[in-house]
Amino acid sequence: MLVDVILIEPYKGVSAGFETSLPAAIAEALIKQGKAKDSKPAPKVETKKIGK
Amino acid sequence: MDNLIVTQEQLKEVVDRKVADQLRTMHPVNNPSPARGLVSVKADHDSRRDQARVVADYILAKHQGREGQAEDIARAANNKYITRANFNTGTSAQGGAAVPQFWVEEIMSFADQFGYTRALAKIYPMRGKTENLVSSGAFTGAVVAEGSGLTLTDSSSFFTATAMTARKLVAGAIVSEEQLQDATPAFLDYVVNGLGRALAETEDKQFFNGDGNSPNFTGITGLAGTTVVRQGGSNSSGKDTFGEISWTDLWNLRLGVNSGVGANGVFVVPQSVFGFLMKETGGSRPIFDMIRPIEIASIGLTALQGNSYFTPTGRPMHVVPDSLFPTSAANTASAFYADFNQFTVMGVREDVTVNEYKEYFGATGLGGTHQKGIEVVERVSFAFPAPSAIGVLKTSTT
């Protein structure tokens, strides 16, 4: 399975700051090493109305 | 180190081939057809009738189990219509059979005309089932000081190989006995055209959109390590359909691919995406208003004729059928940008065999229907030695 990551450091020809799809194991390793971050947008947090 | 001696002729050949490859990608257009008069049409028609008869006799002989006769027909045809001597057809002993080569070559020629992959990718004749392509390595240049040695080693990047493995593609059709008995040029053209198109379309679907699940190839959309750019600039831009594409996305895609490998790149988009781009307006003017049609004067293949445009980014764009791309959805490829001739490879094994079925073909029973299934089998492969050189524009996830 491929995982979309945004690279913090260049990886195999893709420049830093760009997104690429990598096999899950490699993507997780890069994220763990701080060399990439998940490209999936953070889930929207629904704010709960309190009171009236 | 031994000196490598290269003759002027060898060097010229390499340069000429490279230039021709480059021209093919840059100006992929078709040769104009020559003027045709009655005399040449009549001669051509007679010759086609003769060829149609050969193909029909060949298929009938195979159908009736007269392998020896089929082989004789093929060999006689090959002697009559002088064909490439090194075309590597399987023999009966290898499980294949001698095939009238003019027929096979015509089918392949049609596949060449209709195939986008064949027009875009680097064609690589394969010598075996698997070819190992050198896929990455460091090439460095340096200035050497007087009295010093040169240092060229890049310890971080050694040569690696990408294995390109051939798989079987087939194209087939069911024909009736009457069609074979009344073999006419029209029948031959129709069958050749159909088989060629079917092979080309299958190749194209695999090249662009193969999902990698056996027996499919992994196409560009499923490839790991490509440079991905999102419509709207981020994965949460909200531009999650093909309809929300913009020409600025094309700019981002072009600039996203490293300039060292993207210099000769071309865009490839499906028809629907091209439609959205053409209809996009800036102020009150269409964005594509300023483009000029691509020059129809050079070399190339029919598949791209009339389907190539210059974009506001200055790079050509080839428009392919929607069926070769995924359908519009979130997190889905909507355009590619790459120097296809350099970074995408299509390997072709030259064995082409013809099979013939009389009882059952595909999912159709033929017993007692006076029909036959004919099938052409080729072996091809696709490889992408440097995925990061391929830019993929994707719709946003949210």
Side-chain angles (χ1 to χ4, degrees), chain B residues 133-144:
Chain B
L133 304 177
V134 172
S135 57
S136 72
F139 293 89
T140 49
V143 182
V144 180

Side-chain angles (χ1 to χ4, degrees), chain A residues 2 4 12 14 19-21 39 41, chain B residues 222 224-226 228 230 235 388 398:
Chain A
L2 296 179
D4 295 329
K12 286 203 169 179
V14 181
E19 191 180 325
T20 187
S21 309
S39 94
Chain B
T226 52
V228 177
R230 296 285 174 173
N235 202 4
S388 62
T398 55

Side-chain angles (χ1 to χ4, degrees), chain B residues 44-65:
Chain B
D44 192 34
H45 189 79
D46 291 347
S47 159
R48 300 288 294 163
R49 182 179 296 282
D50 196 30
Q51 291 183 348
R53 191 68 265 157
V54 170
V55 171
D57 288 347
Y58 173 78
I59 295 171
L60 278 172
K62 284 204 68 141
H63 175 63
Q64 288 157 2

Side-chain angles (χ1 to χ4, degrees), chain B residues 5-342:
Chain B
I5 298 169
V6 179
T7 65
Q8 202 178 354
E9 285 73 28
Q10 286 171 324
L11 192 61
K12 188 172 179 304
E13 191 199 324
V14 170
V15 172
D16 285 350
R17 200 170 54 221
K18 194 68 204 155
V19 168
D21 275 356
Q22 206 62 268
L23 274 175
R24 194 161 61 92
T25 326
M26 294 298 296
H27 302 293
V29 285
N30 189 26
N31 289 322
S33 318
R36 310 268 305 189
L38 176 65
V39 175
S40 69
V41 169
K42 173 95 170 58
D44 192 34
H45 189 79
D46 291 347
S47 159
R48 300 288 294 163
R49 182 179 296 282
D50 196 30
Q51 291 183 348
R53 191 68 265 157
V54 170
V55 171
D57 288 347
Y58 173 78
I59 295 171
L60 278 172
K62 284 204 68 141
H63 175 63
Q64 288 157 2
R66 291 179 276 120
E67 288 291 338
Q69 193 182 350
E71 206 146 319
D72 287 346
I73 292 169
R75 293 203 194 292
N78 293 346
N79 286 337
K80 185 169 181 185
Y81 306 102
I82 298 158
T83 47
R84 287 192 297 166
N86 63 348
F87 202 91
N88 203 3
T89 306
T91 62
S92 297
Q94 292 166 334
V99 179
Q101 286 305 326
F102 72 87
W103 188 42
V104 169
E105 285 176 15
E106 274 190 54
I107 294 170
M108 286 301 119
S109 158
F110 264 90
D112 279 344
Q113 284 178 41
F114 292 114
Y116 293 95
T117 307
R118 285 168 178 264
L120 289 166
K122 186 186 195 72
I123 303 293
Y124 191 105
M126 297 180 76
R127 296 160 300 174
K129 184 183 176 187
T130 302
E131 291 273 353
N132 286 310
L133 304 177
V134 172
S135 57
S136 72
F139 293 89
T140 49
V143 182
V144 180
E146 187 174 340
S148 302
L150 77 174
T151 311
L152 278 177
T153 311
D154 175 352
S155 61
S156 66
S157 181
F158 293 106
F159 284 102
T160 54
T162 295
M164 181 164 75
T165 305
R167 292 181 189 172
K168 223 165 26 180
L169 296 187
V170 302
I174 294 172
V175 294
S176 72
E177 276 177 10
E178 286 85 345
Q179 284 168 324
L180 290 174
Q181 283 160 359
D182 302 339
T184 62
F187 163 74
L188 183 67
D189 286 346
Y190 189 72
V191 171
V192 166
N193 188 322
L195 293 176
R197 271 177 190 265
L199 281 178
E201 193 183 357
T202 311
E203 289 166 2
D204 289 345
K205 281 182 176 166
Q206 293 292 319
F207 176 76
F208 289 113
N209 203 17
D211 61 14
N213 294 329
S214 183
N216 291 335
F217 288 95
T218 299
I220 297 175
T221 51
L223 191 62
T226 52
T227 299
V228 177
V229 172
R230 296 285 174 173
Q231 285 184 192
S234 83
N235 202 4
S236 54
S237 66
K239 312 273 187 197
D240 58 1
T241 64
F242 286 180
E244 289 163 299
I245 194 171
S246 162
W247 72 280
T248 49
D249 294 326
L250 298 184
W251 265 119
N252 290 336
L253 181 61
R254 180 183 171 187
L255 298 175
V257 176
N258 190 312
S259 57
V261 292
N264 292 316
V266 294
F267 293 99
V268 172
V269 296
Q271 175 85 30
S272 59
V273 167
F274 181 64
F276 294 126
L277 287 165
M278 288 294 281
K279 287 179 216 161
E280 187 189 6
T281 54
S284 58
R285 302 179 61 194
I287 298 293
F288 270 67
D289 195 31
M290 301 294 281
I291 62 164
R292 67 188 173 89
I294 206 162
E295 203 178 323
I296 307 286
S298 187
I299 54 168
L301 297 161
T302 315
L304 301 175
Q305 186 194 16
N307 294 317
S308 300
Y309 303 83
F310 272 112
T311 64
T313 71
R315 301 303 310 162
M317 172 179 281
H318 304 310
V319 182
V320 301
D322 280 353
S323 60
L324 308 186
F325 265 69
T327 48
S328 175
N331 194 20
T332 301
S334 56
F336 301 132
Y337 179 80
D339 181 352
F340 284 88
N341 191 240
Q342 185 83 23

